[in-house]
Amino acid sequence: MRAFVFPGQGAQTIGMGKALAEAYPAAKAVFDEVDEALGQDLSDLIWGGDIEELTLTANAQPALMATSMAVMRALEAEGVTVEAASFVAGHSLGEYSALAAAGAISVADTARLLRARGVAMQEAVPVGLGAMAAVLGLDLATVKEVAAEAAQGEVCQAANDNDPAQVVVSGHKAAVERAVDIAKAKGAKRALLLPVSAPFHCSLMQPAADAMAQALADVQIADPKVPVVANVLAEAVSDGAKIRALLVEQITGSVRWRESVMYMAAQGVTGVYEIGAGKALSGMVKRIDRGLTATAVGSPDDVAAVAAALKE
């Protein structure tokens, strides 16, 4: 059994997806569709713009989805559809890419939702008030203890459970800074603030969750062609109405990536394919379960190799 997984924020690079768009008309059409949906030449920014502008949450989110969907369309052109996977899953914004790949939400609607999500998440907390930090070398239970001790009346929560040795905390800046010091005292290999513009996946994001509830209310969400392993549940969902509610919950909820990968492995998945930019999820997958193979698919050569392997 196979799973297709889709990367989240941080994977963006200038030039991502350009070679695919040049090699596959169907991949180029994705970028054109996203540009039209947003009323912006986002593809120009992705392929030749400034990395700081691309990294802005409102740009990075639809850009990463477009790149992932360009890879999917290239795979489809080579005869590999989403049904080649038993599950799809995505890390944070990547869950939207997974839903688009599984046919639950149109590419145009996904682009508009991610633009709205990026803006809402950015505006939910004034710049400088919140922060996120990665803690390496401590397990989830210990990091939760660290966050609780660091809170001191402020918000500090475990936001991303990425793999057995990496948990991200999120909340008020002072509380997150305290968590860094406490984590180091408890034996973390490293604990460092992340270069993010807002404290994602914690209760401070409630205004963004409210905004997304409104945005999602107007969008058609079909049942996905392949079950989606939801971030906040770490288990498969196939009901469009339930997915809508979970996407709202995801804004303030933890990204349970480690458990999601363990869930897919327990269902019989042996091969994981990272669809889109970068290789971050592939690294996490291997650290979560060494019995899984993980393959990053982002270039025309990757697409050709994976298509040949999956059609054998």
Side-chain angles (χ1 to χ4, degrees):
M1 289 171 69
R2 293 178 289 267
F4 289 169
V5 301
F6 299 82
Q9 212 158 321
Q12 66 275 2
T13 56
I14 295 297
M16 62 183 184
K18 190 169 192 286
L20 279 168
E22 290 169 348
Y24 293 95
K28 173 70 164 61
V30 171
F31 289 102
D32 291 343
E33 187 174 354
V34 169
D35 285 353
E36 185 175 347
L38 297 179
Q40 172 195 4
D41 288 331
L42 186 64
S43 54
D44 287 349
L45 173 60
I46 298 168
W47 295 335
D50 174 67
I51 187 61
E52 289 191 8
E53 188 179 352
L54 179 61
T55 298
L56 292 173
T57 306
N59 290 328
Q61 296 201 20
L64 285 161
M65 182 277 297
T67 304
S68 287
M69 286 306 300
V71 175
M72 271 313 306
R73 295 291 183 255
L75 285 169
E76 289 166 6
E78 296 288 356
V80 176
T81 66
V82 72
E83 287 92 345
S86 299
F87 298 97
V88 294
H91 191 282
S92 191
L93 83 90
E95 188 161 21
Y96 285 77
S97 305
L99 289 164
I105 311 177
S106 72
V107 169
D109 279 343
T110 307
R112 286 188 285 263
L113 284 170
L114 286 173
R115 169 56 55 80
R117 183 177 184 268
V119 170
M121 291 171 84
Q122 189 62 64
E123 292 179 347
V125 179
V127 173
L129 191 70
M132 298 180 78
V135 178
L136 309 183
L138 298 179
D139 63 16
L140 177 63
T142 306
V143 174
K144 283 185 172 178
E145 290 173 8
V146 167
E149 186 179 334
Q152 297 179 20
E154 294 184 310
V155 171
C156 188
Q157 295 168 260
N160 299 359
D161 178 17
N162 285 334
D163 64 42
Q166 186 192 110
V167 181
V168 174
V169 296
S170 181
H172 285 109
K173 190 167 189 283
V176 171
E177 288 171 344
R178 288 192 292 270
V180 166
D181 293 335
I182 294 167
K184 288 176 180 173
K186 286 185 181 286
K189 289 179 183 175
R190 289 181 74 196
L192 64 160
L193 291 171
L194 295 175
V196 295
S197 52
F200 305 132
H201 298 292
C202 74
S203 59
L204 294 176
M205 286 284 114
Q206 188 58 50
D210 296 340
M212 286 311 294
Q214 285 189 300
L216 284 156
D218 299 329
V219 171
Q220 183 177 353
I221 302 180
D223 295 346
K225 296 173 186 174
V226 174
V228 177
V229 179
N231 282 187
V232 294
L233 293 181
E235 61 184 48
V237 183
S238 295
D239 176 72
K242 189 171 185 181
I243 286 165
R244 191 188 309 272
L246 292 173
L247 288 175
V248 176
E249 194 179 329
Q250 189 221 54
I251 300 285
T252 56
S254 295
V255 177
R256 296 169 62 183
W257 187 253
R258 177 182 59 85
E259 293 173 272
S260 295
V261 172
M262 289 170 61
Y263 169 85
M264 291 186 284
Q267 306 306 308
V269 167
T270 55
V272 177
Y273 295 83
E274 182 173 4
I275 308 295
K279 299 179 180 179
L281 297 186
S282 298
M284 290 178 197
V285 165
K286 291 171 184 174
R287 289 190 291 274
I288 292 164
D289 187 337
R290 291 181 181 177
L292 295 172
T293 61
T295 306
V297 192
S299 71
D301 287 348
D302 296 339
V303 167
V306 167
L310 294 187
K311 288 193 287 187
E312 282 179 359

